[in-house]
Amino acid sequence: MPEDAEGTAELPVGIGDRLEARFVDQAGNEQRTLWPDAARGVCLEECGPVRRFPVRHGKRMAPGWWWSATDGRLVHYASGVMRTQVMLLDHDPSVVALACRPVDLGWREREGVWVRHAPHLMARLADGRGLLADCAGHGEISPRLAARAAVMEAAAAAVGWQYRVLRPPDTVLAANLRWLAGYRHPRYRGGELAGRAAEVFRRPRPLIEGVRELGDPVQVFPVVFHALWHGDLSAPLDAPLHERVNVTAVPQARGQR
């Protein structure tokens, strides 16, 4: 059980087989089945949101859409906090697909109350497993989410998946990735220039030195930033990015998703 879910009641045995999964298939039709059948037989990352995030007047919420460089799709988010988590998953090389609320899980608690929960995000991992995730704000998660997180973790474990409550990342890391994300689109890939960048940064060297060797910084910087986002180049992202930061090329097998 994750740290966030401590203190919740013990889960019923076989909870995974008692959950109902509701999703919207690729034809736009709502479907219902048992959770193990949905997890193992449905490409949930291909499904649309089973619930959208509403605009609530008077609330400091700003729903929007994030274009995912991972699979070229739009991922829904409800707030800036959630957008940051979508960005982190999009940057994670172990993630091969992202989806917003593609499944809604329902179960009956011991008191007979019917409960439904749609995790904020779902990701498909490179090893084929799925990841369900809820995004937490800056404070402690509510008892309501903690209780549901325990059920989500049990449901994920029952089918070999993972579940996480995503906390806000380090502010410097988030700021660096937010900057690099501005260059995640393929239009910044650079073609032949990207290949030259891999050679120029074959050994670690200050960013500005390699950029100037490659040519006009106005043309080169976007290509280098694109490569840093996608993992073809590497730099320490836990410290502020600057022109003297050391950059090095990543072997192709590691840089590719």
Side-chain angles (χ1 to χ4, degrees):
M1 183 177 296
E3 181 180 350
D4 295 327
E6 288 183 354
T8 57
E10 184 178 353
L11 295 172
V13 176
I15 184 65
D17 294 330
R18 303 182 190 181
L19 296 178
E20 178 190 76
R22 182 173 65 92
F23 59 93
V24 177
D25 64 23
Q26 296 179 51
N29 300 315
E30 181 179 297
Q31 304 289 345
R32 295 174 185 260
T33 186
L34 291 176
W35 161 240
D37 295 334
R40 294 168 178 148
V42 179
C43 290
L44 292 173
E45 63 270 32
E46 303 281 345
C47 298
V50 72
R51 297 189 211 166
R52 297 187 184 274
F53 299 109
V55 176
R56 296 177 179 174
H57 297 288
K59 299 288 186 180
R60 298 185 63 182
M61 307 288 282
W65 295 88
W66 174 273
W67 180 82
S68 170
T70 299
D71 54 10
R73 297 180 181 180
L74 293 173
V75 182
H76 202 15
Y77 61 81
S79 64
V81 169
M82 191 177 298
R83 181 183 61 217
T84 297
Q85 298 297 346
V86 172
M87 175 184 71
L88 291 172
L89 289 173
D90 196 19
H91 180 257
D92 188 337
S94 70
V95 173
V96 297
L98 282 170
C100 160
R101 281 184 163 174
V103 64
D104 177 301
L105 300 183
W107 66 96
R108 193 175 299 280
E109 294 189 332
R110 287 172 176 164
E111 298 79 8
V113 179
W114 187 257
V115 180
R116 303 206 72 93
H117 182 69
H120 292 149
L121 298 168
M122 178 263 170
R124 181 68 64 182
L125 305 180
D127 62 7
R129 293 181 300 161
L131 166 70
L132 298 176
D134 282 301
C135 302
H138 297 290
E140 294 297 321
I141 67 172
S142 66
R144 178 174 178 269
L145 177 56
R148 294 185 177 194
V151 177
M152 292 300 101
E153 187 195 22
V159 295
W161 285 28
Q162 299 179 26
Y163 171 77
R164 301 177 197 161
V165 175
L166 303 175
R167 299 283 193 162
D170 174 75
T171 54
V172 173
L173 172 64
N176 287 337
L177 288 180
R178 198 171 293 116
W179 174 263
L180 296 177
Y183 300 90
R184 68 190 185 278
H185 195 276
R187 62 175 170 270
Y188 297 112
R189 186 175 292 135
E192 183 269 338
L193 182 57
R196 289 173 50 211
E199 181 60 29
V200 165
F201 289 105
R202 184 169 54 88
R203 294 182 179 179
R205 63 186 302 186
L207 171 63
I208 190 62
E209 292 182 8
V211 167
R212 287 172 175 164
E213 182 176 330
L214 286 165
D216 182 359
V218 173
Q219 179 184 12
V220 175
F221 267 123
V223 176
V224 172
F225 292 149
H226 178 86
L228 284 169
W229 169 268
H230 285 279
D232 299 312
L233 297 177
S234 176
L237 298 180
D238 55 354
L241 285 175
H242 55 84
E243 65 177 14
R244 301 300 301 177
V245 69
N246 277 331
V247 174
T248 185
V250 177
Q252 189 175 24
R254 291 178 56 196
Q256 292 180 340
R257 288 187 183 273

